[in-house]
Amino acid sequence: MQAGVTVIDHPLVKSLLSRLRAADTSPGSFRRHLHEISRLMTFEATRGLGSREVQVQTPLSEATGAELVRPVVLVPILRAGLGMLNGILDILPDAQVGHIGMARDESTHRPATYYCNVPADIGAADVLLIDPMLATGHSSAGAAARLKEQGAKNLRFVCLVACPEGIAHFTGEHPDIPVVTAAIDDRLDENAYIVPGLGDAGDRYFGTP
Ligand code: URA
């Protein structure tokens, strides 16, 4: 996959995103729809992952098939990224899962990692960094930088809704990392919420502020 931003143009993704956006979607439906859209988005997010030919024996003869070259590591950014995890794991059940938590350092105003647990051999893997909302881009760009420090080389960032400000920041810091999203919305508001967006993805998924 080329570096740059891919917006998934698919009617099923668009209709699920519309249900996620609706303010009157119940917490249960929000969870189900986030799970489902994350499953669907995995096909685009994994497009072009390295694969090699393998020979398989069918009941009738040999066939040439394919297998992924590298293991896949999923890294949700805590906590909202967890909402997309299980849907992606439905499609990649053997993926390893790391976790990363980002907070704003009040003295430097820069994103600081408060938790990071990823496989030691992350450099040998294809890594999907996951967070539903690419808002300011500070936490996702900080998380990607931390994963690179840990040795990650083949990174992709998967989000649900992005905005121009977040894309500019993330791709400015990480021009090498492809971004896959279901939508690019209009703007950030003064509270750093994406407009029109869907509100706070973590709050809506977990039912707690
Ligand atoms: N995080 C969210 O969950 N929603 C936004 O709109 C922005 C950041």
Side-chain angles (χ1 to χ4, degrees):
M1 177 179 282
Q2 302 278 357
V5 182
T6 301
V7 182
I8 299 175
D9 183 16
H10 193 288
L12 296 181
V13 170
K14 283 183 196 298
S15 88
L16 282 165
L17 179 57
S18 304
R19 296 187 198 187
L20 287 164
R21 288 188 189 280
D24 61 357
T25 295
S26 68
S29 297
F30 190 90
R31 288 192 183 121
R32 267 193 298 112
H33 298 327
L34 186 54
H35 186 101
E36 195 57 35
I37 199 170
S38 304
R39 278 166 54 107
L40 297 178
M41 290 181 68
T42 306
F43 286 95
E44 195 58 48
T46 53
R47 186 182 293 283
L49 284 190
S51 63
R52 65 181 154 233
E53 282 188 3
V54 287
Q55 294 304 118
V56 291
Q57 184 67 44
T58 79
L60 301 181
S61 79
E62 263 210 347
T64 301
E67 66 180 8
L68 294 181
V69 175
R70 289 183 286 271
V72 177
V73 173
L74 309 178
V75 185
I77 300 178
L78 302 176
R79 73 178 167 156
L82 293 174
M84 297 183 76
L85 179 65
N86 285 333
I88 298 176
L89 276 172
D90 278 353
I91 308 298
L92 295 166
D94 293 325
Q96 286 179 284
V97 179
H99 294 89
I100 190 161
M102 304 298 296
R104 194 168 109 114
D105 182 318
E106 291 306 335
S107 56
T108 63
H109 301 295
R110 293 194 57 76
T113 310
Y114 68 83
Y115 184 77
C116 183
N117 182 11
V118 295
D121 55 354
I122 195 168
D126 281 303
V127 181
L128 300 186
L129 178 64
I130 305 160
D131 198 0
M133 310 302 278
L134 176 52
T136 64
H138 287 113
S139 51
S140 46
R146 178 60 181 260
L147 295 183
K148 285 179 177 174
E149 279 168 32
Q150 300 287 124
K153 293 186 191 74
N154 307 297
L155 273 155
R156 297 168 178 211
F157 179 56
V158 187
C159 61
L160 193 59
V161 181
C163 63
E165 296 90 333
I167 289 172
H169 183 79
F170 187 88
T171 58
E173 300 232 336
H174 300 288
D176 54 312
I177 300 183
V179 176
V180 178
T181 184
I184 301 177
D185 279 9
D186 297 342
R187 63 184 176 87
L188 274 186
D189 73 8
E190 56 287 359
N191 297 312
Y193 277 91
I194 296 177
V195 181
L198 49 75
D200 191 300
D203 290 5
R204 293 190 69 187
Y205 184 81
F206 289 106
T208 51

